[in-house]
Amino acid sequence: MQLTLTGEYAIRAMIYIVSVDENAICTISEISSFNKIPENFLRKIIPQLANAGLIKSQRGSGGGIKLGKSSYQITPLEIIIAVEGEMALNKCLIDKKFCSNERWCTVHTLWCDAQKNLKLILSSKSIAQLAKESKERKNMLNH
Amino acid sequence: MQLTLTGEYAIRAMIYIVSVDENAICTISEISSFNKIPENFLRKIIPQLANAGLIKSQRGSGGGIKLGKSSYQITPLEIIIAVEGEMALNKCLIDKKFCSNERWCTVHTLWCDAQKNLKLILSSKSIAQLAKESKERKNMLNH
DNA sequence: GTAAATATGACAAATTTTGTCATATTTACT
DNA sequence: AGTAAATATGACAAAATTTGTCATATTTAC
């Protein structure tokens, strides 16, 4: 019951893109070296973020990556779902065939509640907010 | 980000024990066959529940397993932690060395909130309540 | 002493996660 | 047209985790 490295990398990458400059184009090499993400691995993750519309990629010379929509409209939850697929704390939340009882397993509604809440929290802040808070924290430490 | 089969089996086993008879002794074979859990696998899980004090096991002829404390004092969260270890939605919640920034990674507090909430919900009902609700649902279906 | 139960540790299979690499494609520029 | 610079994609491989099996040990009642 844990975020994968894939998800972790995706979030780091997205926050990096926001932090550098909302509208700038950056390259995958740049993102991976700055954030210590294995480049070839990141190259598998980036297209998934693009498919979800979170970033836009541009091939060719001078190409690279930029945000696909406003950083105020992107949440950690979206990023996680984009690279890990729809969240399911318990298998039976995806497909009832995994449920042990006839209509629901005993803890089904509990998992439902838990998941709904988790999604709520993970979408309660935009990456714009998160990047801003992070920058403020760093400034505090330097003083 | 999902409950493992180990956790799923542990919860099923615990609820079975409660459902049958709060004070009865039952055997691992009985639990596994009734709940369709691979017996040898369940035999690895049971001692973990015993170590956590959720059940008490008795070796020897006539031995078996019974609850370690009142079913009203046992929550799904405890069961999960007993067999899967302390919950950590993100690695950096266990050890700061996994945190990407100096003091916190950007999403650290968000993960903290999310985890606190998840634990709250998964410990909001006792397995006594869950077993009771399950029984009621089954009765409804039979009428 | 024997039968019936759990405990434990070594092993193995299956699955998922993490990573690599070669090749293809697109684009700007000269 | 050709070249350099960028992403895209699919096949493969390594590593880690999960899931499962089995043989052996231990405990207990009778």
Side-chain angles (χ1 to χ4, degrees):
Chain A
M1 186 128 39
Q2 202 173 78
L3 186 73
T4 62
L5 258 190
T6 302
E8 171 81 28
Y9 290 161
I11 290 178
R12 273 197 230 164
M14 289 298 292
I15 288 183
Y16 173 81
I17 298 171
V18 174
S19 303
V20 169
D21 177 352
E22 179 89 24
N23 301 306
I25 286 187
C26 47
T27 69
I28 296 182
S29 325
E30 175 194 346
I31 299 173
S32 67
S33 73
F34 190 91
N35 293 283
K36 287 163 192 146
I37 303 172
E39 179 167 339
N40 285 321
F41 194 34
L42 185 58
R43 285 186 184 283
K44 306 292 290 292
I45 298 173
I46 290 294
Q48 298 180 282
L49 295 172
N51 287 336
L54 302 181
I55 57 175
K56 274 175 187 151
S57 63
Q58 178 77 38
R59 288 177 171 190
S61 174
I65 289 186
K66 62 177 183 182
L67 282 190
K69 54 181 176 179
S70 160
S71 60
Y72 286 91
Q73 294 175 336
I74 299 177
T75 68
L77 179 64
E78 281 180 283
I79 301 174
I80 293 170
I81 291 178
V83 300
E84 297 193 347
E86 186 58 55
M87 181 177 286
L89 288 183
N90 197 355
K91 295 190 222 324
C92 65
L93 296 179
I94 298 182
D95 193 330
K96 256 191 280 188
K97 80 179 172 198
F98 292 112
C99 246
S100 48
N101 289 350
E102 293 165 78
R103 287 185 52 194
W104 299 291
C105 63
T106 313
V107 281
H108 195 113
T109 54
L110 211 53
W111 284 115
C112 270
D113 282 357
Q115 179 161 307
K116 203 182 300 172
N117 235 273
L118 182 56
K119 289 176 112 173
L120 206 59
I121 289 179
L122 291 181
S123 58
S124 66
K125 283 190 177 173
S126 67
I127 54 168
Q129 286 174 273
L130 291 172
K132 195 177 158 206
E133 286 172 15
S134 173
K135 198 169 285 182
E136 285 166 3
R137 256 199 334 270
K138 276 182 193 159
N139 284 338
M140 290 280 288
L141 287 175
N142 292 336
H143 289 355
Chain B
M1 187 131 35
Q2 202 172 77
L3 186 74
T4 61
L5 257 190
T6 302
E8 171 80 27
Y9 289 160
I11 290 177
R12 274 197 230 164
M14 288 299 292
I15 287 182
Y16 173 82
I17 297 172
V18 173
S19 303
V20 167
D21 177 351
E22 180 87 25
N23 301 306
I25 286 187
C26 46
T27 69
I28 296 181
S29 325
E30 174 192 348
I31 299 173
S32 68
S33 73
F34 190 92
N35 293 283
K36 286 162 194 146
I37 303 173
E39 180 167 337
N40 284 320
F41 193 35
L42 184 59
R43 285 186 185 281
K44 306 293 290 291
I45 298 172
I46 289 294
Q48 298 181 281
L49 295 172
N51 287 336
L54 301 181
I55 58 176
K56 275 177 187 149
S57 63
Q58 178 78 38
R59 289 177 170 189
S61 175
I65 288 182
K66 63 176 182 181
L67 283 189
K69 53 182 177 178
S70 160
S71 61
Y72 286 91
Q73 294 176 335
I74 299 177
T75 67
L77 180 64
E78 281 180 284
I79 301 173
I80 293 171
I81 290 178
V83 299
E84 298 193 346
E86 185 58 55
M87 181 178 286
L89 289 183
N90 197 357
K91 294 189 221 322
C92 65
L93 296 179
I94 297 182
D95 193 332
K96 256 191 278 188
K97 79 180 174 197
F98 292 112
C99 245
S100 47
N101 289 349
E102 293 167 80
R103 287 186 50 193
W104 298 290
C105 64
T106 314
V107 280
H108 194 113
T109 54
L110 210 54
W111 282 115
C112 271
D113 282 356
Q115 179 161 307
K116 203 182 301 174
N117 236 275
L118 182 57
K119 288 176 115 174
L120 205 60
I121 289 180
L122 291 181
S123 58
S124 67
K125 282 189 178 173
S126 68
I127 56 169
Q129 285 174 275
L130 290 171
K132 194 176 158 205
E133 287 173 15
S134 172
K135 199 169 282 183
E136 284 168 3
R137 258 200 333 269
K138 275 182 192 159
N139 283 339
M140 290 281 287
L141 288 175
N142 292 337
H143 288 355

